[in-house]
Amino acid sequence: MAFHDARIAVLEARMSDEMADLIRRNGGAAWSVPAVREAAIESSKPVVAFIDHLSAGEITLVIFFTGVGVKALLQVADQLGRRDEIVVALRRCTVICRGPKPSAVLRKEQIPIAASAKEPYTTVELLEVLKPFDVAGRTVGIVHYGERNDQIAQFLRDRAAILAELSLYEWRLPDDTTLLRTLVHELIAGNVDAIMFTSQIQVRHLFMIAAELNCTSELITALNTRTIVASIGPTCTGVLEGYGVTPHVVPEHPKMGHLIKALAERMAS
């Protein structure tokens, strides 16, 4: 029971139950404080245009970043009565994914994946995957995630690609930020043994709340000295470091199970 009844804050929203269960199995007390909500953006007209261009063969390469983005596109297409049409059109395209999550959703629809970024599945790895593809004069579809990836878009523009971009959802703070505010105060008071960050937007939202409470410096001190900070992947870790926080636990592989294991090993020692 590696966590020894430690109080561990989990900022994940979609996988909070799974993470809490793993923490409990290791003898910890999970405190779920979702830091992000994914809000759908009204996108019927852009999706109609996107499907039209796909079906006409005008979009020949499509980039997906997240499984949520793939599901959102298919859901809107379904609402429009054009799900089968977009699936058929995507099967004819060159489809590139940032990681395994969008790939898994696409494969369920028998949509072939031409290339996928390697671990740790960041923009850096995706850029490497894109380099061999000749996109000059081609229309490239980009299905963004909770915010636009301007780096990928600029990379493609620099290579004379024509972009067809979709933003289907955005990251927002929870409607009720009471728990996040309580978390900031509890961290500063030293009442949280460990905190787990699984995406960079969780970090930004936590510090947004701290700024509203005028206690950013106190939060930085607490995370560096009183609470064990666990972070998944170089992007999330980089944002933490940008705020002046050095994570104590960063697993070799950017996956939930590896994060729990690495944190358990740190706390057991």
Side-chain angles (χ1 to χ4, degrees), residues 5 27 36 40 161 213-214 266:
D5 295 320
V36 185
L213 296 171
N214 296 311
R266 168 63 186 255

Side-chain angles (χ1 to χ4, degrees), residues 74-95:
L74 293 175
Q75 183 178 10
V76 177
D78 192 41
Q79 292 168 354
L80 294 167
R82 302 182 69 177
R83 183 187 176 102
D84 291 344
E85 183 181 353
I86 195 172
V87 168
V88 170
L90 285 170
R91 288 172 182 165
R92 296 196 300 261
C93 284
T94 299
V95 174

Side-chain angles (χ1 to χ4, degrees), residues 8-223:
I8 301 172
V10 176
L11 278 70
E12 175 67 43
R14 280 185 283 117
M15 302 288 287
S16 60
D17 290 343
E18 290 87 341
M19 293 186 75
D21 184 55
L22 285 172
I23 289 168
R24 284 191 291 269
R25 288 184 194 177
N26 283 277
W31 182 21
S32 181
V33 187
V36 185
R37 65 183 176 93
E38 293 166 346
I41 298 172
E42 172 51 44
S43 52
S44 295
K45 288 184 180 180
V47 171
V48 166
F50 194 83
I51 296 173
D52 287 344
H53 291 309
L54 270 174
S55 295
E58 296 165 7
I59 296 175
T60 56
L61 187 150
V62 181
I63 300 168
F64 290 100
F65 290 93
T66 65
V68 175
V70 179
K71 290 176 182 177
L73 178 57
L74 293 175
Q75 183 178 10
V76 177
D78 192 41
Q79 292 168 354
L80 294 167
R82 302 182 69 177
R83 183 187 176 102
D84 291 344
E85 183 181 353
I86 195 172
V87 168
V88 170
L90 285 170
R91 288 172 182 165
R92 296 196 300 261
C93 284
T94 299
V95 174
I96 298 176
C97 295
R98 187 179 59 180
K101 292 181 180 179
S103 298
V105 180
L106 290 162
R107 288 195 177 102
K108 287 182 180 179
E109 303 292 336
Q110 289 80 52
I111 296 170
I113 313 300
S116 184
K118 297 179 180 179
E119 281 193 17
Y121 317 123
T122 71
T123 296
V124 173
E125 288 75 34
L126 182 56
L127 287 170
E128 286 300 313
V129 165
L130 288 170
K131 284 178 181 177
F133 291 89
D134 181 10
V135 296
R138 297 175 66 184
T139 299
V140 177
I142 305 177
V143 181
H144 290 288
Y145 41 105
E147 59 189 13
R148 292 184 73 261
N149 190 309
D150 292 324
Q151 191 174 350
I152 292 294
Q154 191 58 52
F155 171 87
L156 294 167
R157 288 195 193 95
D158 290 344
R159 283 154 181 76
I162 303 161
L163 302 188
E165 301 179 73
L166 282 180
S167 294
L168 303 173
Y169 67 99
E170 60 185 2
W171 289 324
R172 296 179 186 172
L173 280 165
D175 288 323
D176 184 353
T177 59
T178 303
L179 266 182
L180 270 177
R181 291 169 184 271
T182 301
L183 174 61
V184 170
H185 289 305
E186 290 290 275
L187 286 164
I188 292 170
N191 294 329
V192 181
D193 296 296
I195 185 169
M196 302 175 66
F197 294 99
T198 56
S199 71
Q200 50 92 8
I201 190 63
Q202 296 169 5
V203 181
R204 285 162 43 195
H205 280 182
L206 183 67
F207 275 92
M208 190 182 300
I209 295 297
E212 291 177 3
L213 296 171
N214 296 311
C215 57
T216 300
S217 60
E218 291 92 337
L219 177 62
I220 293 169
T221 298
L223 291 175

